[in-house]
Amino acid sequence: MTLAVEDIINEALRAGGVPMRIADIYEGSEAAKIALEIYGQARDELIVDPVHDWSFPRRTAGLTLLKGPPPAGGFNLTQYWTSLYPAPGFLFEYAYPSDCLDLRAITEPPSQMPDCDPIPQPWRVDNDPTPIISGGVATGPAAKVIMCQVNQAVAIYMAQVTDPNEWDTLFHTTLVASLAQKFARAFGADANTIKSLSEETTMAGNAADLIRG
């Protein structure tokens, strides 16, 4: 069975005791409007939650170099730092992956002898107003970037996975429980109902952690 976003939302509305259903998340109904406000953020927050550490959104990918390294010998009185180079203190600047929700680690690329225990390297996420280098000039628009000391860096991160058919079953269950609580609160459920749904959300999350070990 192929799942759509609307299936997840309707399942959560039902679980939250809300007597409404949607056919299209963009249809403009009251339920659809509230779903648009809640759904995407709830999904992404659960994906990056370090307590669960889901496997389906984890990505390992080489990064796109934007700037670096500094000139041989570093900067001095005749070779000043400019925006053509990474921020002071870093050798390389890379583009932030477009689907990255949470960067977990930067590692060196594998060599001829495979490294079965890669060591995470220091890194920092910045916003660079001039990330594009062309013809010896640094230009914008501003972009989120990764600074580090690694040549040909490899990133490990949690990606934004919007297709419900790619989710783990346990993620599906936990997200529905979380959304049910949020929908119940948004539609004015009583305190006892919200408390009960909150407990179900916690139980769903604990079950997911227990089964995955």
Side-chain angles (χ1 to χ4, degrees):
M1 175 182 175
T2 301
L3 291 173
V5 168
E6 290 78 11
D7 296 321
I8 305 299
I9 292 170
N10 286 331
E11 186 178 349
L13 288 168
R14 187 181 305 109
V18 179
M20 298 180 182
R21 302 294 180 266
I22 68 171
D24 188 321
I25 194 172
Y26 299 108
E27 68 189 20
S29 65
E30 182 182 5
K33 289 178 180 177
I34 291 178
L36 277 173
E37 293 177 359
I38 294 175
Y39 174 78
Q41 182 173 348
R43 178 201 62 217
D44 292 350
E45 285 178 350
L46 187 58
I47 285 177
V48 302
D49 187 348
V51 173
H52 299 296
D53 193 29
W54 311 101
S55 59
F56 74 91
R58 190 178 301 114
R59 302 286 186 269
T60 300
L63 296 175
T64 300
L65 182 66
L66 297 176
K67 297 179 182 180
F75 303 109
N76 51 55
L77 294 177
T78 59
Q79 179 65 61
Y80 297 102
W81 177 88
T82 72
S83 58
L84 290 172
Y85 301 102
F90 292 95
L91 298 177
F92 300 94
E93 176 180 318
Y94 295 93
Y96 199 87
S98 60
D99 63 342
C100 177
L101 289 177
D102 186 29
L103 182 61
R104 296 293 174 88
I106 295 293
T107 66
E108 295 180 347
S111 59
Q112 289 181 331
M113 294 295 292
D115 186 354
C116 297
D117 187 21
I119 300 174
Q121 301 293 320
W123 53 271
R124 187 178 82 194
V125 174
D126 275 10
N127 188 283
D128 186 352
T130 58
I132 300 171
I133 304 298
S134 179
V137 177
T139 62
K144 195 173 185 179
V145 298
I146 301 168
M147 306 285 186
C148 67
Q149 316 291 24
V150 180
N151 189 19
Q152 298 181 346
V154 174
I156 300 170
Y157 63 91
M158 304 300 273
Q160 184 182 57
V161 182
T162 59
D163 184 353
N165 298 285
E166 297 181 25
W167 300 344
D168 291 346
T169 300
L170 295 173
F171 178 86
H172 177 149
T173 302
T174 307
L175 178 59
V176 167
S178 175
L179 286 170
Q181 179 187 351
K182 295 177 187 297
F183 285 145
R185 182 179 290 108
F187 284 98
D190 60 76
N192 288 333
T193 298
I194 293 174
K195 180 181 178 182
S196 176
L197 290 169
S198 177
E199 291 171 351
E200 291 179 13
T201 301
T202 301
M203 290 174 61
N206 290 343
D209 296 336
L210 182 63
I211 293 174
R212 287 199 335 276

